[in-house]
């Protein structure tokens, strides 16, 4: 049975989509069957995996709002064993359209449950907000990866997200766990980066991934070419970091 992992942090620019794309590609390279669910109206995970969003006929929007079959929305990517349910700008309006639906927080869960038997990992790229679609993602997920940027205000947003996770655990999804905190954009030359690492490690201990994602220009270059870094430059620091993270996630879930 596959595991659904949401990647969430309502703070933008922390490397959430970059992590979704590259962790998914690395898991697929390690022979896991992986599905990315792009639950962000900006659709960056879709374009980052080479999907031309102007040509998408069936996206997550139609599945959530019109009840279309999620299996029909799945698109194969350039990476063997890696598929995606793409997003669309229309998703911006989905939250309003979902408001009057019965069990509106459970729609994504109902959509993804049949796919758990097909994939080893389903990664949901959440938008940088705590709206209804992110609530849907956290209700559907077995666990959450929280990317944390190594910068001064990194911990500010975390308490808000942890509070949301706590509410969802008590009301909608009692089995939701934290898969781990992932430190991104890490620059070992800066004393601040090391301080942030220690600061996150102190309260969260074993919940912090051993792997840190270092600052690496190849990661943003790869996204602009619509590729995971693994296909763009397999020897780059970014690629090696994400392969290490993928192995850590697999080991954690043995």
């Amino acid at each position: 049975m596959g595991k659904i992992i949401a990647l969430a942090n309502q703070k933008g620019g922390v490397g959430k989509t970059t992590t979704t794309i590259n962790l998914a590609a690395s898991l697929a390279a390690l022979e896991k069957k992986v599905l990315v669910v792009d639950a962000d109206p900006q659709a960056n995970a879709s374009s980052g995996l080479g999907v031309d969003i102007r040509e998408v006929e069936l996206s997550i929007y139609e599945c959530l709002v019109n009840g279309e079959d999620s299996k029909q929305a799945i698109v194969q990517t350039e990476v063997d064993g890696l598929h995606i349910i793409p997003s669309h700008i229309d998703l911006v309006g989905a939250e309003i359209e979902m408001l009057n639906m019965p069990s509106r927080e459970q729609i994504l869960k109902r959509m993804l449950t049949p796919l758990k038997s097909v994939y080893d990992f389903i990664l949901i790229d959440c938008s940088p907000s705590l709206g209804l679609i992110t609530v849907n993602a956290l209700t559907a997920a077995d666990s959450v990866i929280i990317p944390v940027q190594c910068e001064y205000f990194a911990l500010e947003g975390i308490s808000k997200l942890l509070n949301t996770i706590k509410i969802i655990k008590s009301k909608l999804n009692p089995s939701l766990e934290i898969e781990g905190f992932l430190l991104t954009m890490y620059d070992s030359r800066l004393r601040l980066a090391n301080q942030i690492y220690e600061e996150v490690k102190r309260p969260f201990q074993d919940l912090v991934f051993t792997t840190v994602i270092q600052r690496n220009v190849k990661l943003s270059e790869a996204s602009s070419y619509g590729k995971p870094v693994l296909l763009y430059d397999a020897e780059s620091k970014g690629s090696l970091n994400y392969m290490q993270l993928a192995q850590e996630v697999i080991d954690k879930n043995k």
Side-chain angles (χ1 to χ4, degrees):
M1 202 58 166
K3 183 168 196 181
I4 301 178
I5 302 176
L7 286 97
N9 190 335
Q10 78 280 10
K11 201 168 185 298
V14 296
K16 197 161 18 62
T17 302
T18 303
T19 296
T20 307
I21 293 168
N22 291 297
L23 173 58
S26 302
L27 286 166
L30 293 168
E31 302 187 338
K32 299 294 176 189
K33 282 206 74 178
V34 187
L35 174 69
V36 167
V37 178
D38 190 351
D40 184 349
Q42 292 174 60
N44 291 336
S46 304
S47 49
L49 283 171
V51 175
D52 184 345
I53 47 180
R54 292 163 305 187
E55 289 178 12
V56 169
E57 285 174 25
L58 205 56
S59 71
I60 187 174
Y61 170 80
E62 286 79 15
C63 299
L64 289 172
V65 173
N66 305 333
E68 295 284 353
D69 182 2
S70 53
K71 288 192 180 80
Q72 302 301 316
I74 293 169
V75 177
Q76 166 70 52
T77 70
E78 254 187 283
V79 181
D80 273 354
L82 174 55
H83 299 157
I84 183 167
I85 294 179
S87 184
H88 194 276
I89 188 68
D90 289 350
L91 196 60
V92 169
E95 301 211 341
I96 296 163
E97 294 177 70
M98 288 160 71
L99 279 178
N100 297 321
M101 291 184 176
S103 341
R104 60 189 181 195
E105 299 90 357
Q106 312 272 355
I107 299 169
L108 190 58
K109 184 175 188 151
R110 291 197 295 271
M111 183 183 135
L112 296 180
T113 301
L115 299 174
K116 282 181 89 169
S117 56
V118 183
Y119 293 96
D120 298 307
F121 291 99
I122 297 174
L123 303 184
I124 309 173
D125 185 31
C126 299
S127 68
S129 76
L130 294 175
L132 184 55
I133 291 174
T134 300
V135 168
N136 259 268
L138 294 172
T139 305
D142 299 303
S143 66
V144 198
I145 289 177
I146 303 170
V148 180
Q149 187 181 350
C150 283
E151 50 135 70
Y152 192 65
F153 296 114
L155 295 172
E156 270 197 349
I158 291 182
S159 55
K160 215 178 210 174
L161 179 61
L162 291 177
N163 202 33
T164 305
I165 290 171
K166 201 166 145 192
I167 293 165
I168 285 169
K169 264 187 88 129
S170 67
K171 294 195 164 41
L172 296 162
N173 183 3
S175 57
L176 183 65
E177 297 293 336
I178 291 174
E179 187 75 24
F181 292 87
L182 174 70
L183 285 139
T184 61
M185 304 177 203
Y186 184 82
D187 187 341
S188 56
R189 294 168 306 178
L190 300 177
R191 214 170 74 227
L192 177 68
N194 297 310
Q195 280 172 351
I196 301 283
Y197 184 83
E198 290 309 319
E199 220 171 294
V200 177
K201 191 88 178 147
R202 204 174 307 120
F204 302 117
Q205 303 286 326
D206 296 345
L207 286 176
V208 182
F209 284 108
T210 311
T211 306
V212 292
I213 307 301
Q214 290 162 295
R215 274 197 186 278
N216 183 242
V217 71
K218 299 287 184 195
L219 286 169
S220 35
E221 280 177 15
S223 297
S224 66
Y225 283 99
K227 290 176 188 293
V229 71
L230 196 62
L231 294 183
Y232 180 71
D233 184 348
E235 297 300 308
S236 68
K237 203 176 276 182
S239 181
L240 299 173
N241 286 166
Y242 278 110
M243 281 303 284
Q244 193 184 337
L245 176 66
Q247 192 59 61
E248 201 174 334
V249 169
I250 291 168
D251 291 345
K252 228 176 177 181
N253 289 289
K254 273 181 177 160

